[in-house]
Amino acid sequence: MSAESRPSDSKPPQQLRVTVLGSGTSMGVPTLACRCAVCCSNDPHDKRTRPSILLMYSGRAIVIDTSPDVRQQALHAHLERLDAILYTHAHADHILGLDDIRPFNAKQRSPIAVYASQQTLAVLRRAFAYIFEPQTTESSIPQIEIHTLDGAFDLFGLRVIPIPAQHGPLTVHGFRIGSLAYLTDFSSVPPASLELLRGLDHLILDALRYTPHPMHSTVDQSLALVRELKPRHAWFTHICHDLGHEETNAKLPANVRLAYDALQFEAAV
Ligand SMILES: [Zn+2]
Ligand SMILES: [Zn+2]
Ligand SMILES: [Zn+2]
């Protein structure tokens, strides 16, 4: 009996269905007005919308971030409902799709739970002032129920652990749920957060490109993090047009792959 075996009367782990909605950097790939090989590639894996993932659990749908491409992403994923949004930070490529949740409000006749740090909420209040003001128009506006991040919390039976990281000077949050963690847009991870990222089956993490960037982890930096944390599978995301899907994957270790739009897998929770 291995150390990992469970007693026969314990329940099998519940599965979280993970869909990468967008695997691209803030400008997306192809990048506007660019004629580079990756932007001109015919490989569908080289078409990357702005970064977000969808988590399905027990009939509930949770997205991490609302990218400017959220409407097309939701159409492609045949998303029928939306129950919660977790925000990593308030950069435009992570928040600008918030207005597109309105059809889910209408269909579900209820507000959608939003989890974000105080700092992120402050930007949302500025960028989407009309959502937070008393309604002065007949137009529909997104209806949200605000929750300020303050440590781990329960969401529809899932334990969600926010993981603080640095994105240049900005503090952002990754999230761990069971054996999955999503850590986009970071340049460094503090030691206390590293401890929250051990023993993962799936780690989805920022790897913008090979060339150094002040705000983002590079392929080599993220590979070093994978060696340190030893997840069973690592998926690179927030990818720019420097990285062609096939040629980059050919150079990566077997347990590390570039994520791509519509990638799906299950993670135990
Ligand atoms: Zn970003
Ligand atoms: Zn390009
Ligand atoms: Zn960012």
Side-chain angles (χ1 to χ4, degrees):
M1 184 168 155
S2 81
E4 287 175 5
S5 296
R6 292 160 167 268
S8 57
D9 59 348
S10 73
K11 286 186 195 160
Q14 298 285 306
Q15 297 293 321
L16 184 66
R17 187 90 187 140
V18 182
T19 304
V20 173
L21 295 175
S23 57
T25 188
S26 58
M27 293 185 193
V29 181
T31 300
L32 292 178
C34 183
R35 302 292 299 162
C36 79
V38 175
C39 288
C40 295
S41 161
N42 289 321
D43 182 348
H45 298 100
D46 285 324
K47 313 288 181 209
R48 303 177 183 127
T49 59
R50 268 63 71 84
S52 177
I53 64 169
L54 166 68
L55 307 172
M56 296 293 302
Y57 179 76
S58 201
R60 301 287 197 159
I62 303 160
V63 290
I64 302 186
D65 295 328
T66 51
S67 92
D69 298 313
V70 71
R71 180 175 170 276
Q72 289 299 335
Q73 292 168 343
L75 288 170
H76 285 139
H78 304 289
L79 194 60
E80 294 285 327
R81 61 177 297 118
L82 182 60
D83 296 286
I85 304 165
L86 312 182
Y87 279 112
T88 60
H89 66 304
H91 281 161
D93 50 325
H94 299 260
I95 66 167
L96 283 185
L98 177 56
D99 193 70
D100 282 334
I101 68 167
R102 291 174 295 141
F104 297 114
N105 287 140
K107 185 177 176 190
Q108 295 161 209
R109 298 175 182 277
S110 64
I112 290 168
V114 165
Y115 293 81
S117 70
Q118 247 168 22
Q119 200 176 13
T120 296
L121 286 170
V123 179
L124 289 176
R125 285 178 203 280
R126 285 205 307 276
F128 294 94
Y130 63 96
I131 296 180
F132 297 88
E133 284 163 0
Q135 199 158 356
T136 55
T137 161
E138 295 301 308
S139 300
S140 68
I141 61 170
Q143 291 157 30
I144 57 176
E145 181 190 280
I146 300 286
H147 302 265
T148 307
L149 283 184
D150 181 22
F153 59 98
D154 288 306
L155 183 62
F156 313 131
L158 295 167
R159 188 75 177 153
V160 181
I161 303 171
I163 314 276
Q166 286 307 119
H167 179 28
L170 184 68
T171 298
V172 300
H173 288 90
F175 295 97
R176 178 175 186 158
I177 302 175
S179 66
L180 167 82
Y182 182 68
L183 188 62
T184 186
D185 293 59
F186 71 91
S187 44
S188 67
V189 183
S193 292
L194 289 177
E195 295 314 308
L196 301 173
L197 292 167
R198 299 195 188 275
L200 292 167
D201 286 342
H202 293 277
L203 172 60
I204 305 176
L205 73 166
D206 186 1
L208 180 74
R209 61 188 191 191
Y210 285 104
T211 320
H213 189 286
M215 304 281 284
H216 288 278
S217 187
T218 63
V219 169
D220 291 330
Q221 288 164 343
S222 289
L223 282 174
L225 197 57
V226 168
R227 282 193 297 273
E228 148 102 32
L229 295 172
K230 300 181 178 58
R232 288 175 65 187
H233 303 278
W235 303 96
F236 287 170
T237 194
H238 213 289
I239 308 159
C240 88
H241 59 168
D242 289 6
L243 304 184
H245 184 80
E246 222 168 276
E247 56 169 306
T248 308
N249 271 345
K251 294 183 218 158
L252 294 174
N255 66 326
V256 183
R257 284 289 169 267
L258 295 190
Y260 52 89
D261 289 24
L263 166 69
Q264 284 198 335
F265 55 84
E266 293 198 336
V269 292

